[in-house]
């Protein structure tokens, strides 16, 4: 049985109204996540679809869906990074089925799409969203106290990802 945890209602007036509505949406997701697990489900879906669009001749609909999902995930992540401490953020990143952090697999999927998915007219916005999401993921240290010993899961995941695609990624960027 599916349950609606939140509904998106975008105002059509000012930028401030849209910012307020998106903040309320993010706060509602954060508040309900412990019960619903929707944030972790979103991360797992983003990871799955990013690997799917890396395949040759991925359908345009999947590429557009991936771009939209990464945008939505980035919106929620940005809010959580700005409002949660490192421990609170880490709790939202734990996969309830395995008790493992989803930070590493997410960073790896974002890096993989940048390396393996050809950048063309169809995938341009996906690449832009992936880069923006990585920037948000790696911004966690901006909101941490310098003396805070809590690990930064996204920074750790990026620093330990490596692999043969690192040179290709650097050359593409």
């Amino acid at each position: 049985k599916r349950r609606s945890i939140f509904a998106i209602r975008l105002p059509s007036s000012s930028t401030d109204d849209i910012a307020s509505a998106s903040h309320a949406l993010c706060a509602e997701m954060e508040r309900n996540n412990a019960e619903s697990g929707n944030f972790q489900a979103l991360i797992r879906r983003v990871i799955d679809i990013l690997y799917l669009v890396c395949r040759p001749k991925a359908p345009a609909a999947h590429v557009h869906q991936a771009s939209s999902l990464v945008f939505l995930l980035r919106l929620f992540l940005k809010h959580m990074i700005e409002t949660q401490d490192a421990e609170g953020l880490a709790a939202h990143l734990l996969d309830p089925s395995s008790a493992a952090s989803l930070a590493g697999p997410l960073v790896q999927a974002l890096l993989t799409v940048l390396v393996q998915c050809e950048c063309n007219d169809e995938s341009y916005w996906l690449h832009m969203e992936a880069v923006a999401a990585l920037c948000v993921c790696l911004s966690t240290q901006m909101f941490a106290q310098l003396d805070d010993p809590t690990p930064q899961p996204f920074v750790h995941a990026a620093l330990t990802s490596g692999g043969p695609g690192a040179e290709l990624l650097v050359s593409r960027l």
Side-chain angles (χ1 to χ4, degrees), residues 146-166:
L146 292 176
D147 59 348
D148 186 1
T150 307
Q152 302 294 325
F154 289 117
V155 174
H156 182 272
L159 291 174
T160 58
S161 64

Side-chain angles (χ1 to χ4, degrees), residues 15-136:
T15 304
D16 291 337
D17 290 341
I18 293 172
S20 176
S22 68
H23 179 79
L25 174 68
C26 292
E28 190 173 349
M29 168 67 96
E30 184 179 340
R31 210 174 27 257
N32 293 328
N33 188 51
E35 178 187 331
S36 70
N38 281 345
F39 185 65
Q40 292 90 340
L42 176 62
I43 294 173
R44 285 191 305 273
R45 178 62 184 142
V46 166
I47 292 167
D48 291 344
I49 199 161
L50 288 178
Y51 285 115
L52 184 67
V53 299
C54 287
R55 296 179 182 162
K57 298 183 181 179
H62 289 166
V63 175
H64 293 290
Q65 183 184 31
S67 178
S68 298
L69 285 171
V70 173
F71 168 80
L72 191 59
L73 177 66
R74 177 173 57 88
L75 180 74
F76 291 133
L77 272 175
K78 181 180 178 292
H79 174 81
M80 288 181 180
I81 288 168
E82 291 174 353
T83 60
Q84 298 261 329
D85 60 9
E87 290 173 351
L89 178 62
H92 284 288
L93 296 171
L94 282 181
D95 186 350
S97 63
S98 67
S101 176
L102 293 167
L106 176 61
V107 167
Q108 191 61 45
L110 290 167
L111 291 171
T112 299
V113 83
L114 291 174
V115 171
Q116 293 182 5
C117 182
E118 179 184 354
C119 187
N120 53 35
D121 290 343
E122 196 172 275
S123 65
Y124 174 79
W125 287 110
L126 174 59
H127 280 81
M128 293 298 290
E129 285 300 330
V131 169
L134 281 169
C135 289
V136 167

Side-chain angles (χ1 to χ4, degrees), residues 131-147:
V131 169
L134 281 169
C135 289
V136 167
C137 288
L138 298 177
S139 72
T140 56
Q141 79 285 353
M142 292 173 35
F143 299 95
Q145 297 295 325
L146 292 176
D147 59 348

